[in-house]
Amino acid sequence: QNITYPQAILRIPMNGCTSILIPSWNNLPYLRFMIESIKKNSVYDHQIIVHVQEGVDGTLEWLQQEGIEYTYTPQNVGICSGFNMAATKATKEWNCLSDDDMYYFPNWDKALHDFYVENDMPELSWISGCLVESRPSSFPSFIIRNYGHSIEDFQEEAAVRDLESFKHTFHWIHNGSMPLLVKKKFFDAVGGYDTDFDPSPGSEEGFCMRLYQLGCRNFVSVKDCLAYHFGSLT
C-alpha cells in the first residue's frame, strides 16, 4: 500500500506522555508487577491501556479496581489484535507498545523523550528501548544479565544499582525491542499491527515494513531506556 504523508519529515516537540498499549493473556501477577514499575519509575504521566485476553485470572477485576483503562475479548485473539484493540482508546500523540512481563527501570520514558528531542528526530521514527534478559538471546541489542528468572526472585535493588554498569555504550539500529514508541497517527495510518500474524507472537517485521513504506528511516533502540524482560507467557 502506497501512502503519502508529508508531515512525516517534520520535527515536532514531544511532551513525554504516551499511551502505553499492553496485550495481556491471563498473566495478572506479571502485568501488575509491570504496571507498578511504570508508575514508580516513570517521569511522565502516561495513559495505560490493557487489552485483556480471556482474563479468567482476575485481570479484569484488578484493572477495574485500579481504574486502569482496558479493552477485552473473551478469547486469546493474539498480540497483534490486542495492540490494535488497545490503540482504539489511545488519546496521547504517541503510542508506546509493551509486553506485559517487563520491569521498567527508572527514567525509561525520559530516555526516549530526551533521545527524540536531543537528536532532532523526524516525527516519523521508530524509537524503542533495550531489553535486559536473564537468558541468552539471538538479538545482539539485548543485554544479558541474570537478576532473576521470575518476579518471585527478581533482584530489583541490585539491578537498579548496577544499571549504569551494563548499559550499552551506543544506540542500536534495530527493530525488535520494546518499549516501542511510534506516533499514534502513523500507527493508525498503516493500520496498526498486522493481524495476519495472530495468534503467533509478534509482527514487528510487517509493522516495520509498512512504516518504512510510509517513509520511516529511523529504527533505533535507545541505550538509556531499559526494561527487564521475564519472558513469562505468550
Side-chain angles (χ1 to χ4, degrees):
Q1 184 179 7
N2 295 321
I3 308 172
T4 57
Y5 218 105
Q7 293 92 324
I9 64 172
L10 299 177
R11 271 77 173 172
I12 294 180
M14 177 184 176
N15 66 11
C17 300
T18 69
S19 297
I20 303 177
L21 314 179
I22 311 166
S24 187
W25 177 40
N26 297 330
N27 204 25
L28 178 57
Y30 283 87
L31 175 68
R32 180 167 48 208
F33 189 78
M34 188 191 74
I35 290 178
E36 288 172 354
S37 77
I38 291 174
K39 292 181 176 180
K40 177 170 60 175
N41 293 331
S42 297
V43 171
Y44 301 103
D45 184 19
H46 303 285
Q47 178 191 25
I48 298 174
I49 311 165
V50 178
H51 178 72
V52 181
Q53 323 240 30
E54 290 187 359
V56 296
D57 63 340
T59 298
L60 280 172
E61 291 78 6
W62 182 77
L63 292 172
Q64 291 165 355
Q65 174 185 318
E66 295 297 314
I68 297 171
E69 295 180 74
Y70 65 89
T71 55
Y72 169 73
T73 51
Q75 69 281 351
N76 179 11
V77 294
I79 289 175
C80 307
S81 294
F83 276 128
N84 292 350
M85 291 181 185
T88 63
K89 288 198 169 186
T91 62
K92 305 297 184 181
E93 282 192 87
W94 293 81
N95 287 345
C96 181
L97 284 67
S98 175
D99 290 340
D100 68 350
D101 58 348
M102 305 198 299
Y103 168 86
Y104 281 84
F105 283 99
N107 301 322
W108 68 275
D109 54 343
K110 184 176 187 297
L112 293 177
H113 172 271
D114 289 354
F115 181 88
Y116 176 83
V117 172
E118 292 170 5
N119 291 280
D120 196 26
M121 296 290 286
E123 187 184 17
L124 178 50
S125 294
W126 168 300
I127 308 173
S128 68
C130 290
L131 290 179
V132 182
E133 294 191 337
S134 62
R135 301 173 179 86
S137 171
S138 60
F139 289 101
S141 69
F142 285 17
I143 299 167
I144 309 304
R145 290 289 188 281
N146 186 1
Y147 290 98
H149 298 302
S150 68
I151 57 176
E152 286 78 15
D153 61 4
F154 180 54
Q155 302 165 47
E156 180 180 0
E157 288 186 11
V160 172
R161 181 195 63 218
D162 298 343
L163 190 60
E164 293 301 323
S165 69
F166 59 71
K167 280 183 181 179
H168 287 307
T169 57
F170 53 88
H171 307 291
W172 287 79
I173 299 173
H174 196 249
N175 74 318
S177 192
M178 288 187 175
L180 168 60
L181 201 64
V182 175
K183 202 76 179 275
K184 171 178 166 53
K185 65 181 178 183
F186 300 128
F187 182 92
D188 294 342
V190 300
Y193 263 36
D194 188 346
T195 56
D196 285 345
F197 284 84
D198 283 331
S200 64
S203 69
E204 289 87 353
E205 294 82 0
F207 184 53
C208 175
M209 176 54 72
R210 284 178 288 118
L211 285 174
Y212 182 88
Q213 292 169 340
L214 190 64
C216 184
R217 294 298 182 269
N218 298 277
F219 299 86
V220 185
S221 287
V222 177
K223 68 180 181 64
D224 298 314
C225 172
L226 294 172
Y228 197 87
H229 184 224
F230 294 101
S232 67
L233 183 69
T234 296

